[in-house]
Amino acid sequence: MKTTQTFTTNAVLVAQLLERLEHGGHPDAGQYRLVAERLGQELSRIADIDALNAVLEAHPAAAEVYENMNYQHAGLSRSRLDASVAAELKAREAIARAMKPTTAGSAHGPAEGGTSSEG
């Protein structure tokens, strides 16, 4: 009889394989897809939420596969919220800086009454 421990062990092994493919250079797309699909199958077999979370926390590649599998239900629910918020704040700051009027003569040529070298 298969147990949660068996499913968890299988998921960990496949997650490790996927991570080796990701970090090992240029994996074959077909091979990568097969391993990712197999990992998705193994993750879906884990009934114990604590065991599933432990696998996902320990293996970022597994967490991405899981998130992609469940995107239609939960969106990017496993993505770190603080990183997302920080990125949004930085984007807002950059937009605000870009929208500020520039001082005379700095970005749009010489100030009024100045001379131009064009001739």
Side-chain angles (χ1 to χ4, degrees), residues 82-94:
D82 54 345
S84 298
V85 170
E88 183 176 346
L89 289 174
K90 284 187 179 193
R92 287 176 185 242
E93 290 170 1

Side-chain angles (χ1 to χ4, degrees), residues 17 27 36 39-41 48 57-58 62 68 73 75 77 85-86 90 98 113-114 117:
L17 177 59
L39 178 56
Q41 293 167 0
D48 180 358
E57 290 293 324
N68 289 335
H73 303 296
S77 60
V85 170
K90 284 187 179 193
S117 61

